[in-house]
Structure formats: structure tokens, C-alpha cells
Amino acid sequence: MKTLRLILGDQLSRQISSLRDISADTDCVLICEVWEEARYVQHHKKKIAFLFSAMRHFAQELRQAGITVLYTKLDDAENTGSLQREVQRALQQHPFERVIVTMPGEYRLSDIISSWQDNFGVAVEQREDDRFLCTPQEFADWSKERKQLRMEYFYRDMRRRYNVLMNGNKPVGGKWNYDQQNRNPAKPDLTIPQAFSAPIDAITQEVLKLVEQKFSAHFGDLQPFYFAVTRDDAIKVLHQFIQERLVSFGDYQDAMVQGEPWLFHAHISFYLNCGLLLPLECVHAAEQAFYNNQAPLNAVEGFIRQILGWREFIRGIYWLKMPEYAHCNHLNAKAPLPDFYWTGKTSMNCLRQCVLETKQNAYAHHIQRLMVLGNFALLTGVAPKHVNNWFLSVYADAYEWVELPNVNGMVLFADGGLVASKPYAAGGSYINKMSNYCKECAYKVAQKSGEHACPFNYLYWDFLARNRTKLENNPRINMMYKSYDRMGEEKHKNIAKMSSRFLQNL
Ligand code: FAD
Ligand code: DLZ
Ligand code: SF4
């Protein structure tokens, strides 16, 4: 049956379910660069360039394998501007009898695709995205049996299911989780391996020109461009991580160092999320490194937990709770997003560094996102919709399925505790412990009051006070209310005054 197989920008894998039974004789693959996807949020320039270049390289790879590809470039004269209209155009131009597409990563698109069969009058098959290791149905079944959904228990089941780091039915080393050995601040004399930099070929060159011309108003630095845009190069990134960084991944997972955006992280989320890498190959590569004595268990287990545990758990939550999840706002946060998230213009050094690195790289590591950029938005009560818009725009690995539960669940506690058992709120001392940002800050991290006091210090207590009715019965946080109460009324007034003055000046 002559079939049109639609490949979205984050489905660039030969293993994807929509290509599984492709016939080179009868079928065509459709890949399209469209304004609607490129602009539904103001994506970082590097993210657009990365995806367009990876899409063009993937089309080239398919053609080399003898597959016919209908490829719409953004500036093609006939480009209709949306995925829906591009599919319609292909159906008008060629006698396809059906359309096959793998389930998209965002609810909004899944909703649109569900209407195509009726709208276009051809059979439309949406297939499971089996790049993931737990289907939405399996996650829903798992969640039904539980009062509370905790990543740790989900992760243990995934370890058993995929037989990863297992000794029969026991975890290797006797423990499921080695986080107690992780989370060290960086030592001053640490040698950090150089991050991967991919070569720029003619395809990427053309895309960079296009993005410079068409998206000049978008946030972010386009140059220098160093992302891998082919599977071969993405595999090199993975191997470089396994060889050079994994050994210290656990130790410095939560560390932040000024001027060192990449540290010992893997930098593979861009590739995993668009299909250039597959999760199980990353998990197996790390597991093998442990058995080869290349990396210790705390590092390997910690890394595997991120992919087999957190990544799948987060996706499970997304599909379980959408579409309502996009609108949750448990703490009733209403503030606008401060302008410095786009400009980096703030005298708070931690925030300035994290925003400027995000602008440069379309990347920040987990603790920068959670404990600096996210923490500030949480403490100051920025409305979830603004925080989500920012996180979805600025990171090259951001798609709603993964961005939204991280923001609404992990950062903002907007889901009331579905993802995180308590808000990840912290004062300046946490940032000072895990980074060297405070040394170069206009504020003094040790000061709790006065003009030069670190704003995180009073904003933290103000956040707790403002949200008392919703948080004080949380057993993981109620001790902090006891500390707050012990401070006495005078201090409470001062905290409220400093916070309100700070927020007014934002
Ligand atoms: P590493 O630290 O090396 O971890 C390895 C891999 O584990 C990552 O590549 C990623 O695939 C996976 N992983 C780790 N933590 C998470 C997590 N919490 N959720 C899902 N996967 C995880 N990740 C995204 O891929 N896209 C996003 O849009 C995104 N938005 C985030 C927003 C906020 C507010 C926070 C706190 C986290 C967000 N994350 C997101 C999770 C995490 O920060 C990134 O996956 C990670 O920083 C990517 O860098 P890395 O590849 O070097 O990861
Ligand atoms: C993010 C993105 C961008 C910037 N551009 C395109 C595009 O032009 N064509 C396309 O097929 N996909 C693009 N994407 C990725 C989609 O937005 C992604 O498939 C959905 O968000 C579902 O995850
Ligand atoms: Fe950030 Fe406060 Fe440290 Fe400045 S003193 S870098 S604002 S934590």
C-alpha cells in the first residue's frame, strides 16, 4: 500500500516505529521545516539550527539508503508553514493510500494528528514511540497500583525489567541508589575534559545562514555552533562521555563552576530527544563501562538512573496527566518572568552566569536549571506559564513532554507534589556550597539582611511564609517552619520588607 511516512523533527531515527516496515518501492518519507513548529515558542537560534541541520542530514541518510524523501525547506516557495498543511499538500500531489506517523512528543500535535483521518479522508496510523522504554499505557498501569508516584520505585522496576545493573533479582553492589556518595562541590584544581565539537559541513553552513536571516530576533547565540547533527557524531559524543567524563559524573553531578558549563555531564539530551541516540544504548554503554572497571558504581548507577528512571518517569507523568497538567498552579503563582532571564542583566552572579551560558549554548546542566534558574522563579512566585515558556524556548533539548513535568513538577511544585515530594526551594548557602558563583557576586551570601544580603536568603523565608497553608503540613518541609517561627516577629517583618522591596525593583 503506497504510504506516506511523516517524520517529525524529533524523530530522526532509522529505528523509529513509523519507518519499521517501509517499502522503498512504494513509500515516501515526509520531513518538513515549518514556521508553525519553529515559532510556537521563540526557540533558541541554536536549537532551530541544530534540528534543521539534523533533519537535513537524516533526509540525506535515508536517500542514500534508497528511500524517497519529500523534504520541505523552510524557505521553499510552496512551503505552507504547518505540518498539517504539508501533509495535505503531499496527499494532494501523490496518490498515497495511508499516512503513518509515530506518536509525537507533545499533546498539542497528537491532538491535531488525531483529526487527520477524518479531515484528509485517508487512513492515518499513529504508532507507539518505542524509542521510550515504558509506554504511556504501561506507566498508567504502574501508577494505578500506587497512592504516591515516586521515581525511585519506578526506577527499581525498570532496572528489573531491563535487567540493568542486576545480580539476579538484587541490585549490583547491594543498593539501588548511590546518591549519598554523589553531590560533591567541585575541587579548585579539577581538570575538566574538553567538550565535543562537531565539524561544520555545507548542510550545516546553509542552515546557519537561514537561521541567522529568519530568526535573528530569537534568543540565543548561533555561533559558535558545535552540536553533532548526525547519528555518527552523536555516538562519538556518547563514547567520549563514557571514556572521559563518566568516571566523575556521580561525584560532580550537582557541582557548578563559573565558566565551565559542561563539567562531567553527558551532553546527550539533545541527541536522545531528537532520535540521534537511543536510551538503551546509552544505558548499556555506561553499564559496560562499570563491568570493564572504567567507572565506579556511584557514577554509573547515577547516570543510568537519569535515563532509565527520571527520563521515563517524567514522560510517563506527562502523558498520564495531560492536558490538565499544563494548567496546574498549586501555589497560585502569578508574577511575570523577570527580564534578566532573556538578557542576563542582573547583579546576582549565579543567575547571570546561568542565563549567559544558556544564551551561549542552549544548554545548562540540571542543577543550574533546578537550583538557580528554577529556584529563583519558585521563590519569587513566577507564574508557571511564563516559566514553561522560557524553559521550552531556550534549551536545545526542550520538548513539552520533558520540559513541562520538570518545570511544573520538579521546580515549581505546581502539581502539588506529584513529581517532587517537596519544593526544591533553597537559600544562598546551597548555591554557595555547590558553586563558586558567590565569590564574584555583588551580594554577600553570608548576609541575611541589609542592602548587600544575598536575595535568595530572605526570598527563601518569604516563600515559605507566603505559602504556609499549602506547605507546612508537608513532613519534608515542616521543620523549616519551626525554624522560621523561632526567628520571631521582628525578623519576619524584615524578611517581608526586604522581599517586597526586592520584588518591586525587579
Ligand atoms: P546528564 O546530567 O548527563 O544526564 C543524562 C541524561 O539523563 C540526560 O541527557 C537526560 O536525557 C536524562 N535526564 C536527567 N535528568 C532528567 C530529568 N529530570 N528529566 C528527564 N531526563 C533527565 N531535560 C530535557 O531533556 N529536556 C528539557 O526540556 C528539560 N528541561 C528541564 C527543565 C528543568 C527546570 C529541569 C530542572 C530539568 C530539565 N531537564 C530537561 C532535565 C535535565 O536538566 C537535562 O536532561 C540535562 O540537564 C541534560 O543534560 P545532559 O545530557 O548533560 O544530562
Ligand atoms: C522544535 C521543532 C522545530 C524548531 N522545528 C520543527 C520543524 O520545522 N519541523 C518539525 O517536524 N519539527 C520541528 N520541531 C520539533 C517539533 O516541534 C516536535 O516534533 C514536536 O514538538 C513534538 O515533540
Ligand atoms: Fe547567587 Fe546569592 Fe551567591 Fe550572589 S551571593 S551568587 S545571588 S547565591
Side-chain angles (χ1 to χ4, degrees):
M1 194 187 287
K2 202 168 164 46
T3 304
L4 180 67
R5 294 171 188 264
L6 175 66
I7 289 287
L8 303 172
D10 53 353
Q11 298 182 338
L12 310 178
S13 167
R14 295 288 295 277
Q15 312 301 320
I16 196 104
S17 56
S18 55
L19 296 184
R20 196 144 298 148
D21 47 357
I22 189 165
S23 157
D25 297 333
T26 55
D27 301 350
C28 293
V29 169
L30 175 66
I31 304 180
C32 4
E33 297 165 11
V34 289
W35 281 107
E36 208 165 271
E37 292 307 309
R39 277 204 305 218
Y40 76 96
V41 292
Q42 286 246 320
H43 299 289
H44 194 298
K45 291 193 197 86
K46 256 196 183 92
K47 177 181 184 182
I48 300 174
F50 161 62
L51 270 189
F52 283 7
S53 180
M55 286 160 72
R56 291 184 187 194
H57 281 93
F58 187 63
Q60 186 183 51
E61 189 189 321
L62 291 177
R63 283 183 182 132
Q64 281 163 357
I67 293 166
T68 306
V69 180
L70 308 174
Y71 193 98
T72 312
K73 289 185 174 174
L74 190 83
D75 49 1
D76 283 351
E78 318 81 63
N79 189 338
T80 57
S82 83
L83 287 169
Q84 164 145 317
R85 287 192 298 270
E86 281 306 287
V87 170
Q88 201 164 18
R89 189 160 72 92
L91 291 174
Q92 282 158 2
Q93 288 176 353
H94 306 269
F96 293 114
E97 294 159 273
R98 65 175 175 167
V99 177
I100 293 181
V101 58
T102 292
M103 183 182 165
E106 300 193 349
Y107 186 88
R108 95 196 135 82
L109 260 187
S110 159
D111 214 28
I112 293 172
I113 293 172
S114 303
S115 69
W116 286 357
Q117 179 147 320
D118 289 344
N119 290 352
F120 300 156
V122 289
V124 177
E125 190 185 330
Q126 264 198 81
R127 290 185 177 170
E128 196 74 70
D129 191 344
D130 52 18
R131 287 176 297 166
F132 290 94
L133 304 172
C134 179
T135 66
Q137 187 56 54
E138 286 164 347
F139 191 85
D141 292 343
W142 176 83
S143 74
K144 259 188 230 140
E145 296 160 14
R146 285 161 175 84
K147 266 204 212 133
Q148 267 197 331
L149 306 183
R150 286 292 160 251
M151 196 291 297
E152 183 62 31
Y153 296 108
F154 170 78
Y155 163 61
R156 291 178 191 182
D157 286 350
M158 294 294 277
R159 287 266 297 275
R160 289 189 199 96
R161 174 173 171 187
Y162 285 93
N163 195 24
V164 173
L165 288 181
M166 294 300 293
N167 227 337
N169 58 5
K170 296 252 166 26
V172 166
K175 285 200 316 188
W176 290 102
N177 182 317
Y178 290 85
D179 248 1
Q180 265 180 348
Q181 294 170 36
N182 295 342
R183 301 175 175 161
N184 302 314
K187 294 186 201 126
D189 58 347
L190 213 55
T191 309
I192 297 156
Q194 229 182 344
F196 183 85
S197 183
I200 293 188
D201 65 4
I203 294 180
T204 302
Q205 206 60 269
E206 190 182 289
V207 166
L208 290 173
K209 229 166 103 187
L210 176 83
V211 173
E212 191 59 70
Q213 281 167 2
K214 306 280 184 191
F215 298 94
S216 58
H218 284 216
F219 173 80
D221 301 343
L222 186 56
Q223 301 281 3
F225 188 85
Y226 31 66
F227 286 136
V229 289
T230 61
R231 172 157 167 82
D232 284 351
D233 277 346
I235 287 175
K236 285 187 198 151
V237 177
L238 172 65
H239 287 165
Q240 200 185 65
F241 166 70
I242 300 284
Q243 299 293 332
E244 300 175 6
R245 301 178 128 84
L246 176 61
V247 64
S248 300
F249 174 85
D251 290 350
Y252 302 117
Q253 203 180 341
D254 289 6
M256 297 176 280
V257 181
Q258 182 151 339
E260 296 289 352
W262 308 104
L263 290 170
F264 293 94
H265 291 270
H267 329 136
I268 54 168
S269 47
F270 331 109
Y271 312 125
L272 272 171
N273 295 353
C274 80
L276 296 185
L277 289 177
L278 296 170
L280 215 47
E281 71 187 336
C282 301
V283 165
H284 285 153
E287 189 185 22
Q288 198 51 50
F290 170 68
Y291 291 126
N292 295 345
N293 292 320
Q294 280 174 277
L297 191 52
N298 69 307
V300 171
E301 186 282 315
F303 175 72
I304 287 176
R305 179 160 19 92
Q306 304 313 310
I307 296 180
L308 199 56
W310 276 113
R311 186 170 187 268
E312 295 290 333
F313 180 77
I314 285 287
R315 178 178 185 256
I317 294 281
Y318 179 78
W319 288 108
L320 186 69
K321 294 293 170 185
M322 281 300 279
E324 300 77 18
Y325 200 79
H327 308 290
C328 60
N329 189 359
H330 180 65
L331 300 180
N332 204 17
K334 291 190 182 131
L337 188 79
D339 216 34
F340 68 70
Y341 275 81
W342 299 108
T343 62
K345 286 186 187 151
T346 164
S347 40
M348 301 173 80
N349 190 41
C350 51
L351 284 160
R352 184 170 62 235
Q353 296 304 325
C354 293
V355 169
L356 292 179
E357 286 180 3
T358 299
K359 178 170 169 282
Q360 196 168 49
N361 302 318
Y363 175 85
H365 70 68
H366 189 67
I367 294 301
Q368 294 176 306
R369 297 188 206 197
L370 181 64
M371 298 310 293
V372 178
L373 297 157
N375 185 25
F376 187 83
L378 170 73
L379 299 186
T380 55
V382 181
K385 67 176 177 189
H386 301 316
V387 186
N388 279 299
N389 176 64
W390 189 82
F391 274 98
L392 190 57
S393 307
V394 303
Y395 292 113
D397 56 23
Y399 303 90
E400 197 184 63
W401 68 265
V402 54
E403 173 278 327
L404 182 68
N406 269 299
V407 167
N408 276 6
M410 208 178 276
V411 168
L412 298 181
F413 207 67
D415 63 5
L418 191 66
V419 168
S421 51
K422 70 172 175 76
Y424 280 92
S429 62
Y430 174 85
I431 295 172
N432 189 35
K433 185 174 141 219
M434 297 313 300
S435 78
N436 57 1
Y437 294 142
C438 301
K439 287 197 185 104
E440 295 193 23
C441 187
Y443 295 101
K444 302 280 169 257
V445 70
Q447 286 185 20
K448 312 272 183 260
S449 63
E451 203 188 332
H452 297 295
C454 166
F456 278 101
N457 290 342
Y458 47 83
L459 290 172
Y460 172 77
W461 293 113
D462 188 57
F463 164 78
L464 287 185
R466 275 189 284 120
N467 294 291
R468 184 159 197 148
T469 49
K470 294 202 171 127
L471 298 179
E472 82 173 325
N473 292 327
N474 183 322
R476 296 199 60 203
I477 213 164
N478 67 358
M479 262 170 47
M480 300 317 294
Y481 282 99
K482 296 202 174 94
S483 305
Y484 177 77
D485 290 343
R486 278 196 299 272
M487 285 178 193
E489 210 174 314
E490 201 53 38
K491 278 196 179 155
H492 293 170
K493 274 194 197 145
N494 201 26
I495 285 166
K497 202 168 100 193
M498 285 188 297
S499 299
S500 129
R501 193 186 308 143
F502 177 86
L503 293 175
Q504 268 167 19
N505 287 337
L506 256 189

